[in-house]
């Protein structure tokens, strides 16, 4: 029986019972407790713990909370909660940190420990490395065991979104949206309808599918078009204005336009930021693998876009560096630092509904005005080759350094990204397999795939 465990700056992630075993969960929860004690400076650390609806979630959350208490941390049990809700709870409580039990878009047999710092953000690479390298503990004696209390933060999260100055509840109410929500049998099925009602959408106008939060996902959890055929059909059948689809921890948002047509996840941040730029000036940050459609919209708006390495915390750090108050990732993530520095499907949904109201248009009409790009995600086996040597050679070739005259705009912030007139290619080494991942974007699916094939061949061209 194969075992899968991935320990990285993104957290501790694996298949339950086949890698992410109870002893693994306790070991890293205990190590995180020691890190929290260092941050607390002699005070009792306080840790918020929340989870998505996965079958393993309640059991593993209990194990995490018991471990934290055994190490002398006080625990706030947030129960079923979206990742952005837990991030906001950490900030509200002034907590030392937080743990979210969720494997995001991974299948139901997976789970993970997502680790947060006192700002409600994911740990930095250095902080995550510190936790990973620590032993569990030290453990508290009987007089210093941590306490526990329970609290719900969904109302707080929803109200914070509704209270944003960019949101006009009365105008949304008057639009009388009909909305399909796909909650993928997890916490989004609770959070998204609560948000919509607070925004003025009538309950009878909210069609909830996959709304039982039992963690047995009705379709593969990642909100991709091939996984949402039935949900798209519901949007069409119900004559809905929009479909809102989240992943199991509701930090990603995918859209289905009127008529039941899937809208690329890449366009969630584009639409949300176009709305923001209608009210504010200022830079936007996204990662290197996100669509260049955001640059096209930025040019129309006279705004700047900055790119970071892949990974939410890298986007957040670049936002801080550039003074950006809005950022995101092409996987459907929208980050608004006025609330918290993390992807938030509730913020994305509120912004896009308000955008539709302000423009007085349908989602299909807005999408039709956006540039059309297509992506391909490929990988090539590099067994026997040093990936850093291969990537360095490609960077040199496309910066014009090999004399071949094939210059492009090259970034080596995260692997190698080459921007060409006809599209872009982003090449990154895998940390777990002898492969290089090759992501591309171009004007058609065929052109994107051909660009990837070309660069995979060049990678191994001696």
């Amino acid at each position: 029986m194969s075992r899968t465990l991935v320990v990285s700056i993104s957290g501790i992630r694996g298949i339950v019972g086949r890698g992410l075993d109870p002893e693994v969960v306790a070991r890293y929860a205990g190590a995180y407790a020691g890190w929290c004690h260092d941050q607390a400076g002699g005070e009792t650390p306080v840790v918020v713990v929340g989870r998505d609806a996965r079958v393993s979630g309640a059991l593993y959350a209990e194990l995490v909370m018991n471990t934290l208490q055994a190490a002398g941390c006080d625990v706030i049990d947030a129960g079923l909660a979206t990742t952005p809700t837990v991030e906001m709870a950490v900030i509200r409580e002034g907590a030392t940190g937080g743990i979210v039990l969720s494997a995001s878009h991974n299948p139901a047999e997976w789970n993970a420990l997502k680790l947060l710092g006192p700002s409600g953000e994911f740990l930095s690479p250095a902080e995550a490395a510190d936790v990973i390298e620590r032993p569990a503990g030290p453990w508290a004696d009987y007089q210093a065991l941590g306490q526990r209390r329970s609290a719900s933060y969904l109302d707080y999260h929803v109200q914070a979104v509704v209270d944003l100055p960019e949101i006009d509840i009365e105008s949304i109410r008057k639009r009388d949206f009909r909305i399909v929500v796909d909650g993928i049998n997890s916490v989004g099925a609770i959070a998204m309808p609560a948000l919509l009602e607070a925004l003025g959408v009538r309950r009878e106008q909210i069609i909830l599918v996959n709304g039982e939060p039992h963690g047995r996902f009705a379709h593969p959890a990642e909100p991709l078009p091939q996984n949402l055929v039935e949900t798209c059909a519901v949007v069409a059948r119900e004559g809905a204005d929009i479909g809102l689809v989240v992943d199991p921890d509701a930090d990603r948002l995918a859209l289905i336009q009127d008529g039941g047509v899937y809208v690329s996840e890449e366009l969630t941040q584009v639409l949300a930021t176009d709305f923001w730029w209608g009210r504010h000036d200022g830079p936007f940050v996204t990662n290197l693998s996100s669509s260049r459609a955001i640059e096209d919209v930025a040019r129309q708006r006279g705004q700047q876009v900055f790119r970071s390495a892949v990974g939410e915390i890298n986007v957040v750090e670049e936002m801080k560096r550039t003074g950006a108050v809005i950022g995101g990732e092409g996987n459907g993530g929208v980050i608004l630092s006025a609330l918290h520095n993390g992807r938030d499907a509730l913020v994305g949904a509120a912004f896009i509904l308000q955008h539709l109201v302000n423009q007085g248009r349908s989602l299909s009409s807005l999408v039709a005005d956006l540039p059309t790009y297509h992506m391909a995600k490929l990988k090539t086996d590099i067994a026997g080759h040093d990936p850093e040597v291969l990537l360095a050679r490609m960077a040199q070739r496309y910066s014009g350094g090999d004399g071949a005259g094939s210059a492009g705009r090259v970034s080596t912030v995260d692997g190698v990204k080459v921007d060409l007139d006809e599209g872009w290619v982003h090449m990154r080494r895998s940390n777990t397999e002898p492969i290089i991942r090759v992501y591309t974007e171009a004007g058609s699916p065929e052109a994107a795939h051909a660009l990837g094939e070309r660069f995979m061949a060049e990678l191994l061209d001696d």
Side-chain angles (χ1 to χ4, degrees):
M1 182 181 293
S2 63
R3 297 175 61 80
T4 302
L5 179 69
V6 180
V7 179
S8 72
I9 64 169
S10 299
I12 318 303
R13 178 168 54 96
I15 296 177
V16 172
R18 288 189 281 138
L20 193 73
D21 306 322
E23 61 268 30
V24 171
V25 172
R27 178 255 183 274
Y28 285 106
Y32 177 73
W35 181 85
C36 286
H37 274 287
D38 286 353
Q39 308 309 304
E43 301 292 325
T44 300
V46 178
V47 182
V48 180
V49 177
R51 63 180 179 88
D52 71 16
R54 290 167 191 272
V55 173
S56 60
L59 187 153
Y60 274 19
E62 192 67 32
L63 176 56
V64 165
M65 290 187 288
N66 285 336
T67 302
L68 292 169
Q69 289 177 259
C73 297
D74 287 347
V75 171
I76 303 175
D77 179 6
L80 285 171
T82 75
T83 289
T85 302
V86 177
E87 292 172 350
M88 291 191 66
V90 170
I91 298 169
R92 185 185 191 191
E93 296 289 350
T96 317
I99 296 180
V100 186
L101 285 99
S102 172
S104 296
H105 62 276
N106 289 109
E109 64 267 26
W110 289 71
N111 213 329
L113 308 184
K114 293 183 174 183
L115 308 179
L116 308 176
S119 58
E121 301 168 13
F122 286 116
L123 300 188
S124 71
E127 290 169 334
D130 183 3
V131 172
I132 290 166
E133 293 165 6
R134 285 173 178 258
W139 307 111
D141 65 31
Y142 79 100
Q143 298 180 88
L145 295 173
Q147 303 299 307
R148 187 194 302 189
R149 65 181 174 90
S150 297
S152 174
Y153 298 93
L154 177 58
D155 289 347
Y156 167 69
H157 183 186
V158 166
Q159 194 61 48
V161 175
V162 170
D163 285 344
L164 288 168
E166 295 78 19
I167 300 302
D168 179 359
I169 296 174
E170 189 56 34
S171 68
I172 294 175
R173 180 180 290 112
K174 288 180 179 177
R175 180 69 180 262
D176 199 27
F177 283 110
R178 187 165 178 80
I179 300 175
V180 171
V181 173
D182 185 341
I184 189 58
N185 307 110
S186 192
V187 290
I190 302 168
M192 195 60 76
L195 171 73
L196 295 178
E197 287 194 49
L199 288 171
V201 181
R202 291 186 292 133
R203 182 175 299 182
E204 58 269 29
Q205 292 284 71
I206 302 170
I207 300 95
L208 179 61
V209 298
N210 306 320
E212 293 292 327
H214 49 54
R216 296 177 177 85
F217 307 145
H219 55 71
E222 192 163 11
L224 300 176
Q226 61 268 30
N227 300 334
L228 300 175
V229 174
E230 292 183 8
T231 308
C232 288
V234 173
V235 172
R237 184 174 68 245
E238 293 288 341
D241 298 290
I242 189 172
L244 303 174
V245 185
V246 294
D247 65 339
D249 66 330
D251 62 354
R252 293 170 59 173
L253 174 67
L255 307 173
I256 301 170
Q257 69 188 36
D258 45 296
V261 177
Y262 178 86
V263 178
S264 170
E265 261 192 315
E266 290 290 333
L267 295 183
T268 300
Q269 66 169 354
V270 177
L271 288 162
T273 307
D274 190 35
F275 162 72
W276 179 264
W277 279 331
R279 294 282 302 271
H280 308 276
D281 291 325
F284 176 82
V285 176
T286 191
N287 68 41
L288 286 164
S289 283
S290 295
S291 174
R292 64 167 49 164
I294 190 65
E295 274 91 358
D296 294 342
V297 172
R299 278 191 293 272
Q300 295 169 7
R301 293 284 194 177
Q303 304 295 336
Q304 284 183 295
V305 174
F306 293 91
R307 296 276 180 165
S308 77
V310 173
E312 181 178 308
I313 189 59
N314 296 317
V315 174
V316 168
E317 291 300 321
E318 185 68 6
M319 288 174 67
K320 294 175 182 177
R321 189 190 71 79
T322 59
V325 297
I326 188 166
E329 293 189 287
N331 58 11
V334 176
I335 302 171
L336 183 68
S337 60
L339 293 187
H340 62 104
N341 280 322
R343 295 177 310 206
D344 192 328
L346 277 67
V347 170
F351 276 14
I352 287 165
L353 291 181
Q354 191 68 62
H355 194 32
L356 294 176
V357 169
N358 292 358
Q359 297 293 316
R361 298 170 64 185
S362 65
L363 181 57
S364 59
S365 173
L366 289 180
V367 169
D369 284 350
L370 294 175
T372 301
Y373 295 108
H374 298 270
M375 285 189 175
K377 297 183 179 182
L378 310 173
K379 59 185 178 181
T380 185
D381 193 317
I382 57 164
H385 296 270
D386 183 335
E388 296 304 328
V389 170
L390 296 179
L391 291 172
R393 190 172 65 195
M394 294 297 285
Q396 182 181 37
R397 174 179 296 180
Y398 280 91
S399 62
D402 67 350
S406 53
R409 299 176 296 279
V410 175
S411 170
T412 56
V413 167
D414 182 8
V416 176
K417 181 177 181 180
V418 181
D419 269 301
L420 303 165
D421 291 341
E422 66 269 30
W424 56 257
V425 182
H426 190 193
M427 297 162 283
R428 304 173 71 227
R429 65 175 294 178
S430 168
N431 292 323
T432 58
E433 303 173 79
I435 62 173
I436 287 179
R437 301 187 188 279
V438 181
Y439 297 164
T440 68
E441 183 178 62
S444 70
E446 297 76 16
H449 190 83
L451 198 56
E453 292 286 353
R454 167 187 149 192
F455 272 73
M456 287 194 300
E458 290 181 9
L459 268 167
L460 299 175
D461 181 11
D462 295 327

